[in-house]
Amino acid sequence: MLAEDRPGGETRSDRRIPKLRTRGRANRERLLSEAQRLIEAQDGTPLRFSDVFEAAGVSRGSAYRIYNGIDDLMQDLASTWINDFVVHLRSVNLDAPVKSWQQLSDQIVIAGVDYWKRTAKTLRVLPRVRVNAPESYRLAVRDMTTAVAEIFEARFVIPAIANWHDAISLYVQLGDTIFSDSVRRDGNMSARRVDEAKILLSNYLSFYLPATLPPR
């Protein structure tokens, strides 16, 4: 999915891609797709940029007009992953009746688990990006925070809370940390870690939200 198809999504290469022709955009999609395929096929073995552009059938010169190298591509892939997660969050069925914000939080966790199960191997790129996150990655995380906040605000009347979006940002990061650790250690999201995420995230929000909230 291209960034212009996402609500507010932008990735690291977007500021360069508009200067390229349609072929450049197609090359970018091939590079991202091939990088993800190689990550899965090589089971965590570090990639070289040449591995990716040769497998994608993109010339060296064309590849370097889009990305500065493998880390640049990996940052774009991670930003794309987060932007697609935002689209996933906004499209999943969160209309099941809930009596409390705690139950809604559990639904968000399950929605996240569903997405991670389908994209777990791609997550090997994320630790590399977190160390020196580019602006596009930070914007993608911001969009994820906004999407989660909007889910709560659409279902419940949220009281005036100082730094509400900052609280939701940490909520997102806590969930991300639990999921990352589970995939890294166990290769999946175990039922125990899912329960851990539900309890931890609900308890965290209880520092900001009263036990009950009026529904919308």
Side-chain angles (χ1 to χ4, degrees), residues 17-163:
I17 296 300
K19 298 178 183 179
L20 302 175
R21 298 182 179 181
T22 302
R23 184 177 179 182
R25 292 175 179 270
N27 283 343
R28 175 212 176 189
E29 292 301 309
R30 282 199 291 272
L31 290 168
L32 289 173
S33 177
E34 202 58 33
Q36 181 164 332
R37 186 190 69 79
L38 289 172
I39 288 169
E40 296 177 1
Q42 297 185 11
D43 196 25
T45 302
L47 296 182
R48 296 177 302 176
F49 194 35
S50 59
D51 295 333
V52 179
F53 64 69
E54 288 173 5
V58 176
S59 70
R60 179 185 181 88
S62 294
Y64 275 100
R65 278 196 294 273
I66 299 170
Y67 296 113
N68 296 328
I70 189 62
D71 286 339
D72 200 17
L73 185 151
M74 288 297 191
Q75 289 170 344
D76 206 4
L77 185 59
S79 298
T80 298
W81 183 91
I82 293 178
N83 285 327
D84 287 345
F85 184 34
V86 171
V87 173
H88 172 76
L89 275 178
R90 287 175 168 155
S91 65
V92 294
N93 180 17
L94 291 174
D95 293 330
V98 292
K99 296 181 179 179
S100 66
W101 63 260
Q102 294 89 343
Q103 290 180 354
L104 182 57
S105 178
D106 289 351
Q107 284 190 5
I108 292 172
V109 170
I110 294 300
V113 171
D114 290 342
Y115 184 75
W116 279 58
K117 283 180 178 178
R118 292 191 283 108
T119 60
K121 292 184 179 179
T122 306
L123 300 181
R124 291 192 179 94
V125 309
L126 295 186
R128 217 187 266 193
V129 176
R130 290 191 186 101
V131 176
N132 186 24
E135 180 63 20
S136 59
Y137 183 82
R138 290 191 291 271
L139 289 173
V141 172
R142 184 199 64 187
D143 288 343
M144 188 192 304
T145 297
T146 299
V148 171
E150 288 174 350
I151 289 172
F152 279 102
E153 292 162 2
R155 298 296 295 274
F156 295 99
V157 178
I158 305 298
I161 298 172
N163 302 318

Side-chain angles (χ1 to χ4, degrees), residues 171-202:
Y171 172 93
V172 167
Q173 293 175 56
L174 288 171
D176 176 69
T177 298
I178 296 172
F179 288 9
S180 295
D181 186 64
S182 183
V183 170
R184 183 168 52 250
R185 290 173 179 266
D186 307 324
N188 58 61
M189 279 297 295
S190 65
R192 182 182 67 83
R193 299 309 293 273
V194 172
D195 288 341
E196 179 182 324
K198 289 179 179 178
I199 293 170
L200 178 60
L201 295 181
S202 181

